[in-house]
Amino acid sequence: MNLTLKIWRQKDSQAKGQMVDYKVTEISEHMSFLEMMDVLNEQLVNSGEEPVAFDHDCREGICGMCSMYINGEAHGPDRGITTCQLHMRMFNDGDTITIEPFRAAAFPVIKDLVVDRMSFERIQQAGGYISVNTSGNTQDANSIPISKHAADEAMDAATCIGCGACVASCKNSSAMLFVGAKVSQYALLPQGQVEAADRVKNMVAQMDLEGFGNCTNTGACEVECPKGISLENIARMNREYLSTTLKG
Amino acid sequence: MALDSKVPKGPIKDKWTDYKNKIDLVNPANKRHIDVIVVGTGLAGGSAAATLAELGYNVKAFAYQDSPRRAHSIAAQGGINAAKNYQGDGDSTYRLFYDTVKGGDYRSREANVYRLAEVSANIIDQCVAQGVPFARDYGGLLDNRSFGGVLVSRTFYAKGQTGQQLLLGAYSAMNRQIARGKIEMFNRHEMLDVVIVDGKARGIIARNLITGEIERHSAHAVVVGSGGYGNVYFLSTNAMGSNATAAWKIHKKGAYFANPCYTQIHPTCIPRSGDYQSKLTLMSESLRNDGRIWVPKNMEDVMAIREGRKQPTDLSEDERDYYLERRYPAFGNLVPRDVASRAAKERCDAGYGVNATGEAVYLDFASAFDRYGREQAKIHNIKNPTAEKIYELGQAIVEAKYGNLFQMYEKIVDQNPYKTPMMIYPAVHYTMGGVWVDYNLMTTIPGCYCIGEANFSDHGANRLGASALMQGLADGYFVLPYTIGDYLSDDIRTGKIPTDSKEFDAAEKEVTERINFFVNNKGTKSVDYFHKKLGKVMWDKAGMSRNAEGLTEAMAEIKAIREEFWKEVSVPGTAAEMNPELEKAGRVADFLELGELFAKDALVRAESCGGHFREESAELDGPQKGEAKRNDTDFAFVSAWEYKGEPADAVLHKEELEFKDIELKQRSYK
Ligand SMILES: Cc1cc2nc3c(=O)[nH]c(=O)nc-3n(C[C@H](O)[C@H](O)[C@H](O)COP(=O)(O)OP(=O)(O)OC[C@H]3O[C@@H](n4cnc5c(N)ncnc54)[C@H](O)[C@@H]3O)c2cc1C
Ligand code: SF4
Ligand code: FES
């Protein structure tokens, strides 16, 4: 198929960016979206132009690097997948595809489609851990049984890949789904209980400091999340937060 | 320099304990004056950085991604081994040790493998304490699954995302130390050289991938945990950015490179669909528990399927060749990875491949649907179930076990594997070879360590499933933190290492010149052009099956591609900005050297062992006819290569392997 691409080009964080049109031809429907971008970039390199910078690494939906806003949707038109798992069979010959970076005040553009997600790092550093030394002198792994249900629910929350699609899809640029997922994972496990109150307080404080917006329950994040992280995690974080503030 | 593996004396069971009791320690107050650089934040580097920081050292950690959480370890699916014996099926430290040495086809160092088995149980305790949500049974205890090549159930897992959960555990431990200021994290930074002062590794040169700035970082020791070099083949299951640069740079500065030809080619990956293909996707080994592998018996059917005149489901049982079951009745579809891969290649080379490229075989779940369906019908007391009902019940069981893999397959291939067999083909997956290290995980450069997939240490010529995650975390959490202390105890009075020395000047100059060359060269061909060309030579001549003639040609061809690369490569943009093409150029330049050494190593090793199959070294007759033949008389050694300029001139040093605790046997899966 032949396609027209409208891509956000921005030289660096200081530059003013703009949409630029490109044409690609003979794209196979079996290609992944990023392979289509490879074709475009090869074309640009061969004509001496600068290729489009975009983040990617694993190309199998798990590292969370890839982050394109395609035709107005984070990770594009398919559901339950990341940009790198999107295939060209979702598009038709002659289509025009708009490709932008994930946009949010807390995700400044570095270049073209690459954004800076260090705000996510700082939130994790504020409390996304259990304070246990890696000495190997911990107790036996089976000494505290954990119900299968709680372990499975913790696992579901823990599958967040930190991509930021939730933020990019939210009209308020809220990071509640991302933060809620981490808070929930630990809240559901006995090992996480000890520091639960401090954790939720510190992570939420950092989130506010980074300039992420408030949650107004539109649910857009859940729809676009490639890993199916559910809104239930936001509710759980709110309960955790409330109980710490009530306790003072 | 003679190779000294520094394996402690004494019985194998006591070596590690005795060693730990006798080494020098650094007292906590002095650790504050010691800096350590860790390159890589995968399971190996991440766990090492967190532990060293916790002990009190000042750690600087580097990764080329924008977060430690995105290291390639995140993609591991199946699980992690540990000798916990929770299932009471007779597992023990010795058995895990034995399985690993045998699985590696007797080409690994016994003492290292024993230590790995010994610390494996601690890893699970540690991870659970960190909040890693491993799978559990209904009683709330940890669940296990089994993996290829072993007789016990010792694999711990977190759905199909074990690597992700373990890495997020190490990442959380790092975050705690970053928050305390004990780890300084350098994301989007690439190490481009090591700096050696007075014979010791004392720092690195790194490029800030956002601004393009070249930076000097000093430390008392340098740890490299930069992962494997599978991308030398261009197509592999590795992440796009996985590279050999850090490992190759230390090799060029004096670290020997061991067994480069030991590569694991995984039998169950989604086949290539066209020339635009950028990477290959693994379908977990666990699928072989329930899937049967076949190709059509008759060439007419192969043609009919390729041309779309027939569907695989149209073929009757007699028209199918279940070649693994035919050739290996004892192990059938569960033969080890190397054997399964070669058998698929044999059928496809003979012309029986089932897709347009001729490089695919079927992995069929129909009999699993039937078997599980009948069993379920019994359990639910359904009399005379229809074929549809049986299928429906069986499908539900298969879905519960492998649902996420089936979905991943459908998203990529656009075929429903519940209705038609999957197509699979072998792909490059893991590299057992790597930087040579002694028992302390130190390379032949004093003060420079290498951990995780980047080193050669524990898997011999073939790695068993679920053992790489175990090794990465063992190295980082439990081995390196001890061994490095012994070395650093001499450095308590050294003071900060200055970065304004002539050694740093020289290293920085070299790095800058190379970068300037790339951006100014203005050649005619893209970096990928060369990478693909290299990959094709590697796959055709140093892939699943190798011979002297092909390897000799490969060495010459790679050299020629390298020469063309340095003339014709084109890198747009400048050095002083984010420039992904420039990053790729540096990595491919290193692969172009490594590839030639790889072929040379494969040429020298004129035996078949593990993943390395030399056509000249096969059984000529008897029941094992055509199978790999190891040669312990001439090749029971580790090849450690010393850099001498051109890869073809590298000098071989041999570390002889002694097997005192295990008897050497030929593997048989018939
Ligand atoms: C698809 C897949 C599935 C797998 N499944 C399993 C499994 O189920 N069980 C199992 O045991 N093993 C599995 N493996 C193997 C296992 O995942 C890897 O061997 C292991 O994770 C490697 O860990 P590592 O820490 O050594 O390196 P990596 O995780 O590759 O980390 C490398 C790190 O080095 C950094 N880096 C590299 N070069 C530079 C540089 N020049 N400068 C700065 N930083 C650099 C990277 O940023 C990264 O942080 C699988 C592998 C693949 C590909
Ligand atoms: S919650 Fe979902 S969308 Fe948000 S960062 Fe995690 S995986 Fe991405
Ligand atoms: S590239 Fe890793 S999730 Fe897309």
Side-chain angles (χ1 to χ4, degrees):
Chain A
M1 46 181 133
N2 300 329
L3 302 163
T4 304
L5 307 172
K6 289 187 176 301
I7 304 180
W8 182 259
R9 300 301 308 254
Q10 180 175 338
K11 183 128 190 68
D12 54 41
S13 59
Q14 305 306 315
K16 215 170 136 270
Q18 90 244 29
M19 300 299 288
V20 179
D21 287 6
Y22 297 96
K23 292 237 178 297
V24 283
T25 53
E26 289 175 49
I27 296 298
S28 151
E29 54 165 5
H30 298 299
M31 277 184 192
S32 73
F33 195 82
L34 296 186
E35 282 164 353
M36 183 277 293
M37 292 296 293
D38 292 343
V39 170
L40 169 69
N41 276 347
E42 180 87 12
Q43 204 171 294
L44 292 174
V45 175
N46 287 336
S47 59
E49 288 175 64
E50 262 205 68
V52 181
F54 61 89
D55 265 332
H56 67 113
D57 202 24
C58 73
R59 293 207 179 182
E60 51 188 68
I62 192 76
C63 74
M65 273 301 259
C66 61
S67 45
M68 291 183 191
Y69 200 71
I70 303 165
N71 286 347
E73 286 183 85
H75 296 308
D78 208 351
R79 288 284 165 269
I81 53 151
T82 52
T83 304
C84 59
Q85 292 175 299
L86 181 64
H87 274 72
M88 293 314 291
R89 63 181 79 94
M90 296 295 293
F91 300 91
N92 299 311
D93 186 31
D95 277 2
T96 296
I97 308 175
T98 318
I99 310 169
E100 293 174 85
F102 279 4
R103 296 205 189 269
F107 290 167
V109 172
I110 294 175
K111 179 173 187 166
D112 297 341
L113 303 172
V114 178
V115 298
D116 180 344
R117 287 171 287 198
M118 286 309 288
S119 47
F120 268 16
E121 295 299 294
R122 289 185 291 266
I123 294 173
Q124 294 291 344
Q125 289 154 17
Y129 51 79
I130 290 171
S131 297
V132 53
N133 275 356
T134 57
S135 59
N137 294 328
T138 41
Q139 57 189 342
D140 184 83
N142 259 348
S143 58
I144 309 175
I146 301 175
S147 86
K148 181 170 164 53
H149 183 68
D152 286 349
E153 257 193 304
M155 176 64 198
D156 287 342
T159 53
C160 163
I161 58 173
C163 62
C166 44
V167 175
S169 328
C170 174
K171 67 177 168 54
N172 310 319
S173 298
S174 164
M176 290 287 272
L177 197 63
F178 168 75
V179 184
K182 199 77 213 166
V183 168
S184 287
Q185 177 196 343
Y186 292 134
L188 285 158
L189 297 171
Q191 288 84 356
Q193 301 296 324
V194 186
E195 298 162 284
D198 285 343
R199 175 177 306 114
V200 68
K201 253 196 303 199
N202 294 339
M203 290 182 81
V204 168
Q206 189 65 36
M207 174 177 84
D208 293 341
L209 206 64
E210 296 289 350
F212 290 103
N214 291 325
C215 172
T216 52
N217 292 312
T218 67
C221 54
E222 186 188 51
V223 175
E224 297 294 349
C225 171
K227 295 292 136 180
I229 304 294
S230 85
L231 290 176
E232 175 53 29
N233 292 292
I234 297 185
R236 189 178 295 106
M237 175 163 74
N238 284 334
R239 288 197 297 276
E240 291 276 312
Y241 191 77
L242 205 64
S243 72
T244 64
T245 44
L246 287 182
K247 275 185 219 135
Chain B
M1 180 176 32
L3 281 177
D4 180 0
S5 63
K6 306 227 174 83
V7 172
K9 301 261 169 310
I12 201 157
K13 326 198 279 327
D14 304 330
K15 284 182 197 288
W16 180 233
T17 311
D18 286 354
Y19 170 93
K20 283 193 293 181
N21 287 337
K22 293 195 187 116
I23 53 168
D24 285 332
L25 299 177
V26 182
N27 94 32
N30 283 330
K31 289 197 183 105
R32 278 196 297 260
H33 305 302
I34 295 185
D35 307 325
V36 181
I37 283 174
V38 179
V39 179
T41 61
L43 285 181
S47 58
T51 310
L52 293 170
E54 216 163 71
L55 288 170
Y57 298 107
N58 309 310
V59 176
K60 286 179 161 189
F62 294 79
Y64 70 76
Q65 295 94 343
D66 69 342
S67 161
R69 69 181 293 155
R70 308 207 200 278
H72 175 56
S73 296
I74 201 89
Q77 302 173 349
I80 177 168
N81 289 330
K84 276 284 195 189
N85 195 26
Y86 281 160
Q87 307 304 324
D89 53 3
D91 201 7
S92 63
T93 300
Y94 183 83
R95 196 177 280 279
L96 175 53
F97 157 67
Y98 177 84
D99 288 343
T100 309
V101 172
K102 177 185 171 207
D105 218 359
Y106 307 92
R107 288 293 173 266
S108 43
R109 191 190 286 147
E110 270 192 348
N112 285 54
V113 180
Y114 195 89
R115 175 176 66 189
L116 174 65
E118 209 175 331
V119 302
S120 66
N122 268 345
I123 298 175
I124 305 303
D125 300 340
Q126 180 63 48
C127 293
V128 166
Q130 279 171 351
V132 171
F134 283 121
R136 289 176 181 268
D137 59 24
Y138 284 99
L141 301 181
L142 292 163
D143 195 19
N144 289 118
R145 54 166 66 141
S146 24
F147 250 65
V150 299
L151 301 167
V152 293
S153 233
R154 63 159 77 98
T155 305
F156 294 79
Y157 65 100
K159 286 206 177 147
Q161 290 114 299
T162 316
Q164 179 194 33
Q165 294 310 315
L166 295 173
L167 183 60
L168 293 181
Y171 170 64
S172 70
M174 279 186 79
N175 279 334
R176 178 169 165 240
Q177 300 304 324
I178 295 173
R180 286 176 62 212
K182 288 306 289 182
I183 297 180
E184 198 180 344
M185 183 64 219
F186 294 86
N187 293 311
R188 293 199 197 264
H189 272 67
E190 181 162 15
M191 168 201 173
L192 293 177
D193 213 347
V194 61
V195 181
I196 298 181
V197 181
D198 298 331
K200 292 178 173 173
R202 291 300 201 189
I204 64 168
I205 305 293
R207 179 166 181 269
N208 177 327
L209 301 180
I210 298 179
T211 62
E213 246 165 294
I214 302 297
E215 301 171 353
R216 302 177 180 201
H217 296 274
S218 71
H220 298 88
V222 174
V223 179
V224 172
S226 56
Y229 53 87
N231 277 347
V232 68
Y233 285 88
F234 184 69
L235 286 182
S236 81
T237 62
N238 288 4
M240 298 300 288
S242 293
N243 71 92
T245 290
W248 196 249
K249 294 302 192 227
I250 62 173
H251 170 57
K252 290 176 88 164
K253 290 286 156 74
Y256 292 0
F257 206 95
N259 304 329
C261 80
Y262 290 165
T263 324
Q264 181 159 82
I265 299 190
H266 199 293
T268 53
C269 301
I270 300 180
R272 208 163 54 85
S273 68
D275 291 336
Y276 48 78
Q277 191 97 24
S278 60
K279 76 153 278 166
L280 296 167
T281 303
L282 178 78
M283 289 279 102
S284 172
E285 165 156 323
S286 54
L287 290 175
R288 281 199 283 145
N289 281 298
D290 284 309
R292 297 175 70 198
I293 296 179
W294 63 275
V295 291
K297 245 183 216 159
N298 307 315
M299 198 47 99
E300 304 86 78
D301 289 334
V302 173
M303 287 329 217
I305 286 174
R306 284 194 198 167
E307 287 158 17
R309 287 181 281 117
K310 266 190 184 174
Q311 296 305 313
T313 40
D314 296 337
L315 267 58
S316 69
E317 283 296 297
D318 321 330
E319 292 167 331
R320 303 173 175 201
D321 175 14
Y322 293 95
Y323 58 86
L324 286 176
E325 297 170 24
R326 168 169 62 77
R327 288 179 63 184
Y328 307 98
F331 277 69
N333 293 296
L334 282 173
V335 291
R337 292 176 178 179
D338 52 336
V339 178
S341 292
R342 281 197 293 275
K345 178 178 172 4
E346 189 276 329
R347 282 295 76 196
C348 291
D349 285 353
Y352 291 88
V354 293
N355 71 355
T357 63
E359 292 189 336
V361 300
Y362 289 125
L363 177 64
D364 196 330
F365 295 87
S367 28
F369 296 143
D370 187 65
R371 179 161 42 89
Y372 287 127
R374 286 178 196 284
E375 197 178 287
Q376 287 300 308
K378 272 224 176 68
I379 294 171
H380 295 108
N381 219 354
I382 303 171
K383 298 267 175 328
N384 304 320
T386 59
E388 286 78 49
K389 188 71 195 167
I390 292 175
Y391 172 81
E392 184 195 314
L393 292 166
Q395 182 191 356
I397 299 292
V398 172
E399 188 171 351
K401 287 178 125 178
Y402 313 110
N404 66 328
L405 295 169
F406 276 53
Q407 188 226 3
M408 189 147 105
Y409 182 87
E410 188 168 358
K411 286 279 179 206
I412 295 177
V413 184
D414 200 24
Q415 287 183 0
N416 179 350
Y418 293 105
K419 302 262 180 270
T420 183
M422 280 187 185
M423 285 184 291
I424 52 159
Y425 198 66
V428 173
H429 178 61
Y430 182 88
T431 50
M432 282 75 68
V435 177
W436 186 90
V437 289
D438 63 16
Y439 188 73
N440 301 324
L441 305 180
M442 204 200 285
T443 68
T444 45
I445 302 173
C448 180
Y449 292 79
C450 190
I451 58 178
E453 189 174 339
N455 76 20
F456 89 107
S457 77
D458 297 345
H459 308 292
N462 177 50
R463 174 177 70 77
L464 289 181
S467 287
L469 302 183
M470 168 171 74
Q471 183 221 333
L473 289 180
D475 286 0
Y477 282 138
F478 303 127
V479 179
L480 180 84
Y482 286 99
T483 61
I484 203 171
D486 193 36
Y487 172 82
L488 291 171
S489 61
D490 288 340
D491 264 325
I492 53 180
R493 271 177 282 278
T494 308
K496 268 242 167 300
I497 307 290
T499 57
D500 54 2
S501 60
K502 61 178 193 312
E503 289 85 355
F504 272 94
D505 290 346
E508 181 181 319
K509 183 159 172 275
E510 207 181 310
V511 166
T512 311
E513 280 172 2
R514 183 153 124 148
I515 288 175
N516 289 340
F517 169 84
F518 285 135
V519 292
N520 293 324
N521 192 45
K522 310 275 180 256
T524 55
K525 296 194 172 85
S526 70
V527 175
D528 278 356
Y529 167 87
F530 296 101
H531 197 178
K532 285 181 185 171
K533 219 166 151 181
L534 168 68
K536 181 154 174 34
V537 175
M538 292 298 299
W539 183 245
D540 290 344
K541 299 187 169 160
M544 273 184 275
S545 140
R546 306 157 179 184
N547 60 49
E549 195 192 337
L551 291 166
T552 313
E553 286 165 12
M555 284 184 68
E557 287 169 26
I558 294 168
K559 182 167 183 227
I561 300 172
R562 189 168 66 237
E563 285 167 359
E564 193 197 350
F565 171 86
W566 284 104
K567 283 203 198 90
E568 290 300 335
V569 69
S570 157
V571 177
T574 66
E577 63 178 332
M578 174 175 266
N579 188 342
E581 286 296 311
L582 176 61
E583 294 164 30
K584 279 198 283 186
R587 294 171 192 160
V588 171
D590 294 331
F591 281 138
L592 283 165
E593 294 179 3
L594 171 70
E596 190 180 341
L597 183 68
F598 184 128
K600 183 179 164 103
D601 183 51
L603 184 61
V604 167
R605 191 165 287 278
E607 66 157 347
S608 295
C609 60
H612 170 64
F613 183 73
R614 277 292 295 268
E615 288 157 17
E616 302 92 332
S617 185
E619 299 287 350
L620 294 177
D621 41 36
Q624 298 285 337
K625 187 165 177 224
E627 299 297 322
K629 190 172 164 199
R630 213 177 58 228
N631 173 351
D632 294 327
T633 326
D634 301 318
F635 292 100
F637 62 80
V638 173
S639 311
W641 295 96
E642 181 182 359
Y643 182 79
K644 288 283 183 194
E646 285 289 301
D649 301 333
V651 170
L652 176 63
H653 299 263
K654 294 180 182 175
E655 179 194 343
E656 298 296 335
L657 291 170
E658 286 182 11
F659 293 91
K660 292 191 189 136
D661 291 83
I662 285 183
E663 184 199 346
L664 273 77
K665 284 193 196 138
Q666 263 323 318
R667 294 187 306 167
S668 165
Y669 300 96
K670 289 275 180 191

